[in-house]
Each structure stands twice: as structure tokens, then as C-alpha cells.
Amino acid sequence: MGSLDTPISAENGSAHATGHGKSPLTDGGTRAAPADSVPEFEPSKRRRSSMLPLEVGTRVMCRWRDGKYHPVKVIERRRVHGCGPNDYEYYVHYTEFNRRLDEWVKLDQLDLDSVEAVVDEKVEEKGASGLKMTRHQKRKIDETHVEGHEELDAASLREHEEFTKVKNIATIELGRYEIETWYFSPFPSEYNDCLKLFFCEFCLNFMKRKEQLQRHMKKCDLKHPPGDEIYRSGTLSMFEVDGKKNKVYGQNLCYLAKLFLDHKTLYYDVDLFLFYVLCECDERGCHMVGYFSKEKHSEESYNLACILTLPPYQRKGYGKFLIAFSYELSKKEGKVGTPERPLSDLGLLSYRGYWTRVLLDILKKHKGNISIKELSDMTAIKAEDILTTLQSLELIQYRKGQHVICADPKVLDRHLKAAGRGGLDVDVCKLIWTPYKEQS
Amino acid sequence: MSRLSFRPRPLDIHKKLPILKSFKDFEDDETPTSTRNSQLLRIVPEVEHEAHVPHAPSKKLASEIPTPQFVYVDTYERDYSCTFVQPTSYLRARGARAEIGEFVEYDLDNEDEDWLSEFNEERDILTPEMFESLLFKLEVLDHKARERAGLLTATLGSPIPVLLRFETAMETLQSLNVKYTILESVYDYWKEKRIQWLKPILRRLQPAPAVNDTNPYNVFRPREKAHRLHTRRMQRRENNVQSFEKLRQVRRNLDQAKSLLEALIKREEKKRDVIESEVTLQRMQMKYKHETEFLEDNLAMSGFTPFSSKLVSSEEEYFDSDDVMTSLLPRSRSTVQNLHPYDTNLPMVPTVSAKQELKRIQVPHGWPHKLDPLEPVLLFTKPLLPGKLAVAGILPPDSIAKNGVSAQPPYTFRGRIGRGGRIIFDRSNLLMQTPIDCGNSYYMPPKPRPSTCN
């Protein structure tokens, strides 16, 4: 593990000076480990030199951060320096993992002996035509890619992957943390030439250089998100930011969030959304932990559009808190709600856990019969979500011409244990909030 | 087999579902059908298996999903100052930065910094902060200029011209105490940058992409709210002849329904008018009937002591009730008061009979004259014809009394035909001219029922 950290951070270190996309790099000197230094094995030498540079679509083994070799597929390549066949680096997708782990690797991380002789036929075919875009568009969709994309049809998935296939920003600095990004985010074209962005922790303005951020910090007058605090419990605070009143903040937040959300769209403007920003507060200010956004008026009864816990705060129960919070808001509105689809792999996991916990807690205590509608009214969870949750846990059985709910305490406890306890609870009496009303 | 071989009925979310607290419940009332059997057999071992091997599938999966990493920024403590004090009350939003005014929203980018260092040439001619402020003010001024010129509607993609002229900018920026030459250089740099970018350099002032812009790299389009269709059917609305016809049919149906409803309203209004007229008619008839009835009474029942016709004709006597007799009688309060005290009763009698005599002359014999042939016949109020009564052998009780001991009977009787067609003689007080039973009479004798004959 540790051995691999070095090359990754080396890449990050030179990131801000590196050209974006296919443009050749001008600062070749900073690149470590030129391809020539790769230890070579005589028998494979000739074969290898003939296959370099690797074609897009090639399947090969690649050394990952755990020090082990994993199968990858070459998504894109770019010239580093010089013009030899070895002077390329490759953007690879680990076929075992989610797209968020796609990264640029150097030739020495690839095990060239493992290159599969048969490159994707379609790629070969189209390669001759020389049209890069077409070639990529025709790229067969990797089966392992499909996780978390079940709800998209093939065409829109292809389009989505084509235009977001290579991360544009590699890392960001946000407050105390320097975070590797997960996905492409459509920053304005002025930012096409940089790989690292510096975010102001409070107003979320982003800059290309550290000095710019430091200058900004001297004048930035915000210490918390520019909205109303609607919840405070200990050091935890929730702010409601109106996308219409704080357009730039909302947009900044979306740009930032997109770096960590695959299927978020920034297609529409933020003024129809409210942003609920969760913060941990200390003497330096209120530090964003995560957020969820919500349409002011949802016609599909969505109570949540996007949800994100920033990577440094993940697996601490904040996601579950955000989900619980979104349902508390729905309860105050007197509506049932459901998250907008598609859910990411991590999102689905959190939601399943939340639904399971809430519903099973009720079933454990409840006496007598109960309808799905009643469960829905009690929890503000949409009836469909209740059904899928109970059905996936096989708690709804069909027998003698009617459905019954199985609530064997042992079975429920087992499921509850599997779902994990929600780390942070929402204390409803600390929520001071009125549902959004259009001021017109 | 993981699926049932039959398809369960769709689940009704409103239906109360029984909650089984134990799997034993499944087994107890189990019927020996093969599908259910197999299903249960499948469940039970699974439960046992899972109970023995405690696992946490989702949790395990969660820890298995690898994510990219993060590191700590060593300059953080320096960059961010410890100046935040959380107030005891919840924080409230201030206005947006653009509204507050003085905040310099623009942050220098790489290009600006490079230009500035070249411009400064190691000397401190222009500080980055001042440069930032100047660029910000130029942007805002230009935005205002375009606003005045009405050129703000441009969407992203089409070049946005620089409208701010240097002279105009100078006038406003003079107060900043910056040398003319520096301002001029900054203005030139800014203008060049703007022409190069084709759009404002301050992000807040950049226009949104057009609604129909399909370039996925352009983001934050305005969303037209009114256009959203509410139902799925509307969302996949097809624009063809068939749906046109369908909609026309809908329209026809609605039009028909509307005219039908209008006709219905008219009909009901007419009905109401008819009822109202009937009511008025009834009232008028009753009023009329009271008058004629008393005339008739006086004529027909000569043996009975009649009422003063004066009472009946007075406007106040109008009474809205179907029982004419009882309603009428208590109305004579003024008369009653006049008659009071009792000892005045004797002189009254001849006067009354004299009047009665007069009327008999005026009114012709026979059945009461019906002026209106449509007048409903209220049988129970029909006056009795003494002639016919005599033929039938019915005599008024007072005539019987006359033959007896008392020459001056304490009561007088008024005859009428009752509701059931019986002939009724109401006993009434001669002096008071009210029925004995009447509640508001001053005189309350012991209550004998009105005697009935036949």
C-alpha cells in the first residue's frame, strides 16, 4: 500500500502545472519514472515495442494503490514528452471498481505481458476510420460498469460516459483537506487548463493557485454557508441556502458536488433548489461536511435531489443523518417523499439502511395489523420505497390469497444489525424550520 | 426456486396487513399446497442458516467499496483564522454579496497575476488587492452600461461586447486615488481579456446558456416552470390526428355536459318560481277564504253565535295556518279586552245578533260562493249547512240545551266538518268568543273535550 502512495502523490504534486486533456506537456522535467526505466524482460521486448503505444480500449493489468495488479481498460492516452511510442500516459478504468477510481497511470504501472491480444474488435474496426469520437462512442459498455447505472438506458449511459469519461480536475483543496476527486465536473472553460482547484471553504469560490486562495481568505467575510441556520445540535449545524438568493454559492456547491457524484446533472440552474448544508462548527467557522439539495416544488414528490458527504467525512454517519433530516423536513411539510433517481451505489446503501432501520423499528413495536399506507404516513417514506425495502428483506409474504408482514423479532434484529445503527440522530425539537413558500 | 410459481395479487397499500410475530405462525395454519410448502421450506432453512452465521451484507459491502483518498493540508491552520464565535441563537442569512455592495467578488486568476507581476516589475506600483478591486468595478460598470443599453438578454455562446468606455470608467474610478496611467493600463488589459473571453469575467454576470443549448459542458440553464406537464399522459402527449380527434371528442362531451347543466339550472329555477307562486296563491286564497268563511258561517249557522265580522276583515287577522278555526279564534284579543270584565257580556249579545241579521240579508243562500274555481276545497273547514243538518236529523247541541233547563247556556257551539269528515261542534264561550280549549284565553274552564256528533 505505502509503496504506491508515492507515485500518486507525485502526480498530484505536478498536477497544477500539467496540461489538460490531450495537449502535450511542456514540463516534462517534473515527470518521474520515464518509460525507458521500466525493467524489461528480453522475451517480451519485441512484442511490447510493437504494441506501444497502447490503443484505447486495450485490456491490461495495472498496479493499483494496494500494490496488487488489477485488470484495467485503457480509456484515453496522452503524450507526456518526446514523441516516442513510450512517451504516453494512460487513463485507465479498473474494471472491478467504480468509475470513481479511474486515473492516469504511467507505463511502468502497467504489466505489458498481460496485454490481451484481442483488443475490442469494434475499436479496431473504427480505429481505421480515424474518428476518435465515433470510436469511443462505439466502445462497448463494460459489463462491470453497470453498477449504479441500472436506471439509465444504454444510449444515455453511453452519452454520459463519453462526455465524462476522463476526470478534468484530479484533486481539490477544501479547508483542511486535499481530496482526490471521483468524477468529471463541467467547470467553466477557463478552468480547462488545471488539474487542481483551491476552494474557499465557506463561500466555495474556486481558484487555480494557492496564493489566490490565500488572498481570497483575507477578504472572505463568510464563516458559514450563506443561509439560515435551521438546526443546531452540539457542534453540528444545518444551514438552508436558497439557490435563488445565493446563486453563485449554489453553483459553486454544484460544481464541487459533481466531482463526487457520477449522475448528478448541472443542466439546470440552481434557483429552483434549496441546499441543506451540514456543518461541523469550531472556532474557525462552520466546515461543510455534506449537503443535500431539494427542489422547491417537486412534482414527483422528491424530497431530495442530490446528497453528498464529502470524502473526509464519509462513514461517520453523516449520510444517514442527511437522509433522516430530509424525511424530517417532509414530515414537517406533511408530505411523503422519495429521493430523486438514480441513486449511486453508496447512496442506495445509505437509503436501504435508513429505510430498513426506520421500518423495522416500527414493526418491532407495532401491535395488530398495519397497512403500507400507514407506515408511509408515519415515516414520510413513499409507499413504493417501503414495499421494495420490505420485499427485498423478504418480510412481505403472500399466502392464502393475502399479503402478510413477517415480524419475527429474531429476523428483524438480524436485518437491523445488518443495516447498522444510524450514527447521528436528528433531534426534531432542535429543528426550527418552516416549509419554503414562494415570495411573490 | 427463488420465485413463486404463481403470481401474487398486487399489494394494496391501503389494506391492513397482518403482522406475524413468528415464523411458527406460518407453519401452524399451513395448508398442504405444494407451492406454499416449498416456499416455507425455503424460508425456514434460510432463517436458520442466517441465524447461525451472523453476517452483515450491506455493511460488509460498504467497507468493500473503495474510494479515492484525501490528505490533510498543512497550511490550513495558517490560512483559516480562529475568529469565528458561534452566537447562541441560530445564524440568519444576510443579503447576498452582490446586494451588500462593498465586497470585491472578483478573485485574480493566473492570467491576471502574470500580467500584474510583469506590470509591477518588482516594484509595488499596483497591489493585487487594488487590481482585483479595479477589475471588479470595471465589470460591474460594464454590466450597468449593458443594462442601460438593454443588451442583457444575450445568452452564453454569442459574444458579449464591451460597452464601457474608458472615459466613463475614469469618472467613477477617480475616487480610488489611482494614477491615470495605471487605470489606463488596467482598462486596456481588462478590455483585451474581455474580448478574448467573449463574456464577462465575473461569473455572476455571465449569462446562462440558452434553454435549448444541448452542449453538456454548458451548465445551469434557466428552467421554464410553466411548461411542465402534470401527468404522465400529458408528458407523452402525441401530436397527431388521433389525439386531436380524441381531444375534440372530449371537448364535445364537455360542451354537451355544460348545456345540459345549464338547462338543468333553468328547470330548477322554473320549479322554484312555480312553488313560490303556489305559495302566494295559497296565502291569498286562505286570506280570502277567511273572509268568505265567516260570512258563510254567519249565514249558515244562524243558530250559533257568530263572530264579529269586523274582527275577520281586519288586516291583522291574516294568519298563515291550515287550521283556520283555531288560528282565527285567539286573534280577537282586542275584542277580548273590550269585553272584559265579564259583566259587560249581556248587552253585547243583541248587538251581535243585529249585525248578523244584517248580513243574512246581504248574502244569498246556498253553498258559499266560490270566487275562484281553482280554490282547493278544504273539507274540514267547510261550513255546515243547517238545512242539510236538519234533514239528516242533526241538531246543534245548544238547540238541545234550549229544550232543557237552562235558557241561557254557558256555552255556544260552532259547527264544522272535521278533518275526517265528521261533523264537529266546537264549544265556545259566548262572552269571550273564544273556544274553551284555547290556551291564551283568560278564562280557563275545566276542560271538556269538544263534543262530537256522528
Side-chain angles (χ1 to χ4, degrees):
Chain A
M1 181 99 193
S3 62
L4 248 280
D5 283 338
T6 332
I8 288 173
S9 54
E11 186 178 298
N12 290 339
S14 64
H16 63 271
T18 318
H20 171 65
K22 288 150 225 138
S23 58
L25 291 173
T26 49
D27 58 342
T30 61
R31 280 279 151 201
D36 305 59
S37 68
V38 179
E40 291 183 21
F41 303 95
E42 283 307 315
S44 58
K45 192 177 180 182
R46 194 183 304 154
R47 188 184 150 221
R48 242 194 268 172
S49 56
S50 67
M51 77 173 76
L52 285 176
L54 293 174
E55 283 293 332
V56 166
T58 309
R59 286 164 186 279
V60 64
M61 299 298 277
C62 177
R63 201 171 67 235
W64 192 48
R65 65 186 190 202
D66 61 357
K68 293 185 186 129
Y69 280 88
H70 295 266
V72 298
K73 188 166 161 182
V74 177
I75 304 291
E76 189 56 280
R77 64 182 186 195
R78 65 181 179 204
R79 258 172 214 281
V80 186
H81 56 89
C83 44
N86 294 348
D87 301 330
Y88 280 91
E89 56 182 11
Y90 299 93
Y91 193 76
V92 296
H93 168 65
Y94 295 89
T95 52
E96 298 165 343
F97 304 135
N98 182 283
R99 249 155 53 88
R100 66 174 71 96
L101 293 162
D102 293 4
E103 61 181 348
W104 287 101
V105 296
K106 286 167 216 83
L107 198 56
D108 64 344
Q109 280 174 263
L110 299 174
D111 174 16
L112 291 180
D113 291 324
S114 67
V115 170
E116 284 176 32
V118 190
V119 181
D120 268 353
E121 306 85 27
K122 279 183 183 167
V123 173
E124 283 288 282
E125 259 168 50
K126 293 288 170 183
S129 72
L131 277 174
K132 260 200 159 179
M133 288 303 278
T134 330
R135 184 167 65 183
H136 298 322
Q137 277 164 358
K138 295 287 177 190
R139 180 164 55 92
K140 207 169 81 185
I141 294 158
D142 199 333
E143 291 77 21
T144 56
H145 251 181
V146 190
E147 81 182 46
H149 303 243
E150 297 86 352
E151 286 151 275
L152 291 179
D153 60 90
S156 52
L157 181 55
R158 197 152 43 222
E159 189 191 336
H160 168 80
E161 292 201 347
E162 176 51 36
F163 122 79
T164 62
K165 62 177 181 175
V166 180
K167 286 173 206 172
N168 47 347
I169 308 293
T171 48
I172 59 159
E173 228 186 83
L174 177 72
R176 191 185 288 277
Y177 303 101
E178 181 180 313
I179 310 165
E180 285 178 29
T181 64
W182 295 12
Y183 303 104
F184 170 88
S185 178
F187 281 94
S189 55
E190 304 88 80
Y191 295 84
N192 283 353
D193 61 344
C194 62
L195 289 180
K196 180 169 181 180
L197 284 181
F198 298 85
F199 278 81
C200 167
E201 197 186 6
F202 302 118
C203 71
L204 301 182
N205 276 1
F206 41 89
M207 284 138 274
K208 294 182 192 176
R209 286 183 191 156
K210 183 90 173 176
E211 307 81 68
Q212 290 160 13
L213 176 72
Q214 281 163 340
R215 197 162 45 238
H216 172 87
M217 290 323 299
K218 277 183 212 150
K219 70 176 177 187
C220 188
D221 50 354
L222 276 179
K223 289 288 181 191
H224 56 83
D228 292 338
E229 193 176 7
I230 57 170
Y231 179 89
R232 187 190 293 174
S233 175
T235 56
L236 207 59
S237 281
M238 181 71 94
F239 289 86
E240 182 189 60
V241 182
D242 187 334
K244 188 166 190 157
K245 289 183 194 155
N246 294 282
K247 208 165 196 144
V248 174
Y249 181 85
Q251 292 182 349
N252 289 346
L253 183 54
C254 286
Y255 281 127
L256 172 66
K258 179 66 194 78
L259 291 169
F260 303 101
L261 296 169
D262 197 4
H263 288 291
K264 179 178 171 54
T265 174
L266 276 62
Y267 200 81
Y268 289 116
D269 206 351
V270 294
D271 49 7
L272 298 183
F273 289 91
L274 294 168
F275 297 92
Y276 294 91
V277 186
L278 184 64
C279 295
E280 280 284 5
C281 306
D282 61 19
E283 69 280 3
R284 287 194 158 80
C286 300
H287 313 286
M288 176 178 160
V289 161
Y291 87 104
F292 69 89
S293 58
K294 172 177 176 155
E295 270 182 281
K296 289 173 181 173
H297 305 286
S298 172
E299 279 159 21
E300 290 88 357
S301 77
Y302 293 141
N303 65 354
L304 181 144
C306 276
I307 179 167
L308 170 72
T309 308
L310 287 170
Y313 298 96
Q314 282 170 1
R315 287 168 203 169
K316 293 185 169 66
Y318 290 113
K320 288 161 188 164
F321 180 89
L322 289 170
I323 291 172
F325 202 90
S326 73
Y327 281 108
E328 290 306 329
L329 296 188
S330 288
K331 284 181 199 167
K332 283 230 171 186
E333 287 176 315
K335 292 177 184 166
V336 297
T338 188
E340 198 176 317
R341 306 304 201 280
L343 289 168
S344 69
D345 49 355
L346 294 168
L348 186 65
L349 218 59
S350 301
Y351 264 100
R352 278 272 160 78
Y354 176 78
W355 291 332
T356 304
R357 267 193 316 281
V358 169
L359 295 174
L360 266 49
D361 277 344
I362 292 174
L363 290 183
K364 256 172 91 170
K365 289 173 205 147
H366 194 83
K367 292 190 176 63
N369 298 355
I370 194 162
S371 70
I372 303 294
K373 182 71 174 35
E374 284 169 322
L375 281 173
S376 176
D377 291 341
M378 289 161 81
T379 58
I381 301 172
K382 207 179 178 187
E384 284 85 343
D385 295 334
I386 295 177
L387 269 181
T388 48
T389 305
L390 294 182
Q391 274 164 351
S392 72
L393 297 174
E394 297 197 325
L395 292 182
I396 290 189
Q397 308 281 349
Y398 187 70
R399 56 189 310 276
K400 281 191 181 171
Q402 71 160 344
H403 294 270
V404 295
I405 297 172
C406 162
D408 188 317
K410 270 187 234 153
V411 180
L412 295 189
D413 284 339
R414 206 179 56 242
H415 285 310
L416 280 172
K417 204 177 159 195
R421 287 311 326 179
L424 299 153
D425 286 323
V426 181
D427 188 350
V428 190
C429 63
K430 288 175 176 163
L431 171 63
I432 303 178
W433 182 75
T434 48
Y436 178 82
K437 266 200 207 113
E438 197 75 62
Q439 291 122 350
S440 53
Chain B
M1 195 185 86
S2 65
R3 288 259 160 241
L4 301 177
S5 56
F6 62 95
R7 205 168 84 189
R9 186 185 302 167
L11 200 154
D12 178 6
I13 61 162
H14 297 284
K15 197 181 164 193
K16 295 249 189 189
L17 305 179
I19 297 179
L20 303 183
K21 286 288 180 195
S22 158
F23 269 115
K24 289 213 174 74
D25 297 350
F26 274 101
E27 284 171 295
D28 288 342
D29 51 348
E30 212 242 313
T31 48
T33 53
S34 61
T35 44
R36 211 158 285 150
N37 238 336
S38 55
Q39 184 201 348
L40 284 168
L41 286 175
R42 188 173 59 80
I43 289 170
V44 175
E46 194 180 84
V47 168
E48 283 162 0
H49 165 78
E50 280 175 310
H52 287 308
V53 188
H55 72 223
S58 52
K59 211 172 179 177
K60 215 159 79 188
L61 203 62
S63 55
E64 268 173 10
I65 294 181
T67 55
Q69 295 156 323
F70 63 89
V71 292
Y72 292 97
V73 178
D74 47 10
T75 59
Y76 175 74
E77 317 259 299
R78 259 185 296 130
D79 295 343
Y80 290 82
S81 55
C82 299
T83 53
F84 178 66
V85 182
Q86 204 170 22
T88 48
S89 58
Y90 284 16
L91 290 159
R92 300 291 299 174
R94 307 163 306 166
R97 276 178 174 170
E99 292 159 18
I100 294 168
E102 277 315 291
F103 184 79
V104 178
E105 289 171 75
Y106 186 74
D107 294 310
L108 295 187
D109 66 6
N110 294 4
E111 214 182 1
D112 303 327
E113 284 187 329
D114 295 347
W115 180 86
L116 185 67
S117 66
E118 204 176 298
F119 179 76
N120 276 339
E121 289 171 348
E122 309 294 323
R123 292 165 295 152
D124 266 342
I125 302 170
L126 181 63
T127 62
E129 286 75 18
M130 180 53 81
F131 186 38
E132 226 165 46
S133 172
L134 284 176
L135 288 175
F136 173 63
K137 292 206 158 88
L138 286 170
E139 277 290 295
V140 173
L141 286 172
D142 177 65
H143 183 79
K144 280 182 186 156
R146 276 182 293 126
E147 202 171 37
R148 272 195 298 274
L151 285 170
L152 277 186
T153 47
T155 50
L156 201 66
S158 50
I160 295 158
V162 179
L163 281 191
L164 183 68
R165 306 224 333 254
F166 179 61
E167 293 74 30
T168 335
M170 265 308 292
E171 281 172 30
T172 324
L173 297 181
Q174 255 170 354
S175 57
L176 287 174
N177 245 343
V178 181
K179 276 186 198 153
Y180 182 85
T181 47
I182 295 175
L183 276 182
E184 199 171 21
S185 318
V186 170
Y187 176 84
D188 289 341
Y189 168 76
W190 169 76
K191 186 161 183 178
E192 199 186 322
K193 183 168 179 156
R194 276 292 305 270
I195 290 166
Q196 208 185 326
W197 279 37
L198 301 172
K199 61 181 180 185
I201 58 172
L202 186 61
R203 206 146 53 80
R204 172 166 68 84
L205 303 179
Q206 290 168 4
V211 179
N212 52 6
D213 187 340
T214 52
N215 182 354
Y217 294 93
N218 291 340
V219 290
F220 302 127
R221 283 162 191 72
R223 179 150 64 173
E224 66 278 45
K225 259 191 260 174
H227 239 280
R228 299 276 295 198
L229 298 168
H230 293 272
T231 62
R232 264 167 213 210
R233 180 185 277 273
M234 284 162 85
Q235 274 162 5
R236 58 179 158 80
R237 177 178 57 183
E238 292 126 3
N239 201 8
N240 55 23
V241 179
Q242 215 180 349
S243 54
F244 174 66
E245 273 308 318
K246 223 180 227 170
L247 282 178
R248 274 233 305 233
Q249 181 64 43
V250 169
R251 195 205 158 95
R252 265 199 299 276
N253 289 348
L254 286 175
D255 279 343
Q256 281 172 354
K258 194 179 157 211
S259 42
L260 207 64
L261 281 173
E262 279 168 354
L264 202 71
I265 290 170
K266 259 185 202 163
R267 192 187 72 190
E268 292 301 316
E269 278 172 354
K270 288 268 186 268
K271 269 190 184 169
R272 192 183 60 198
D273 288 349
V274 167
I275 298 280
E276 275 172 1
S277 327
E278 264 174 21
V279 167
T280 330
L281 188 66
Q282 281 278 26
R283 284 178 177 171
M284 285 168 71
Q285 278 172 355
M286 304 243 245
K287 189 178 160 193
Y288 170 74
K289 202 168 171 66
H290 299 163
E291 292 177 25
T292 50
E293 195 181 299
F294 284 111
L295 286 178
E296 196 74 14
D297 257 3
N298 297 342
L299 289 174
M301 308 289 282
S302 54
F304 305 155
T305 310
F307 285 81
S308 150
S309 60
K310 189 174 68 191
L311 295 178
V312 181
S313 59
S314 108
E315 235 358 275
E316 290 164 344
E317 287 311 310
Y318 173 73
F319 206 84
D320 188 9
S321 166
D322 60 346
D323 195 342
V324 177
M325 297 310 283
T326 49
S327 65
L328 234 169
L329 293 169
R331 287 287 113 190
S332 48
R333 177 155 299 189
S334 57
T335 323
V336 168
Q337 278 165 346
N338 285 343
L339 292 177
H340 207 79
Y342 294 113
D343 46 0
T344 56
N345 59 358
L346 280 172
M348 277 289 291
V349 183
T351 339
V352 174
S353 35
K355 268 182 188 167
Q356 177 193 343
E357 218 66 43
L358 265 171
K359 270 171 200 157
R360 190 189 286 183
I361 296 157
Q362 288 164 353
V363 182
H365 282 279
W367 277 96
H369 21 271
K370 279 195 162 186
L371 296 179
D372 187 355
L374 287 176
E375 179 188 351
V377 180
L378 301 171
L379 269 178
F380 53 92
T381 60
K382 218 187 242 174
L384 293 167
L385 293 177
K388 286 191 179 177
L389 282 176
V391 168
I394 302 166
L395 292 171
D398 60 339
S399 61
I400 299 164
K402 256 176 214 165
N403 300 337
V405 191
S406 165
Q408 177 74 33
Y411 311 122
T412 176
F413 296 91
R414 295 172 6 86
R416 62 182 169 98
I417 294 178
R419 274 173 212 264
R422 289 169 300 183
I423 294 170
I424 299 169
F425 291 97
D426 296 322
R427 193 166 49 173
S428 67
N429 192 312
L430 177 68
L431 301 176
M432 307 294 286
Q433 293 184 339
T434 54
I436 301 301
D437 282 345
C438 184
N440 65 351
S441 166
Y442 285 75
Y443 175 57
M444 294 289 276
K447 269 191 168 181
R449 298 285 312 165
S451 62
T452 52
C453 300
N454 282 2

